[in-house]
Amino acid sequence: MRCRRCGRLLFCGIVEEVEIKCPRCKTVQMVGGRKQRRKNKCRETRGSEV
């Protein structure tokens, strides 16, 4: 996972939900949770329709 603002590598791995603050630009980012699950669900739906 890279910072959305500056591109710095923040971590590698699989997480369920995490909040992380970039040490370079100080941007706080959320990964996982409800938003990510919805995105994954939409991708699965699109793939089955095609």
Side-chain angles (χ1 to χ4, degrees), residues 1-2 8 14-15 18-20 22-23 27 34-35 48:
M1 172 74 188
R2 291 192 175 270
R8 181 178 175 151
I14 299 170
V15 297
V18 67
E19 180 178 311
I20 189 165
C22 178
T27 301
R34 292 181 184 173
K35 289 182 182 178
S48 63

Side-chain angles (χ1 to χ4, degrees), residues 2-41:
R2 291 192 175 270
C3 177
R4 294 177 189 132
R5 186 170 182 199
C6 71
R8 181 178 175 151
L9 182 64
L10 300 174
F11 67 88
C12 294
I14 299 170
V15 297
E16 198 169 303
E17 188 174 343
V18 67
E19 180 178 311
I20 189 165
K21 183 175 183 179
C22 178
R24 182 186 291 166
C25 68
K26 311 300 186 216
T27 301
V28 176
Q29 299 176 59
M30 295 287 295
V31 179
R34 292 181 184 173
K35 289 182 182 178
Q36 188 177 37
R37 286 186 207 133
R38 286 182 188 159
K39 283 183 180 178
N40 290 340
K41 189 174 183 180

Side-chain angles (χ1 to χ4, degrees), residues 39-50:
K39 283 183 180 178
N40 290 340
K41 189 174 183 180
C42 291
R43 288 181 186 163
E44 290 171 9
T45 304
R46 287 182 191 165
S48 63
E49 291 175 358
V50 174

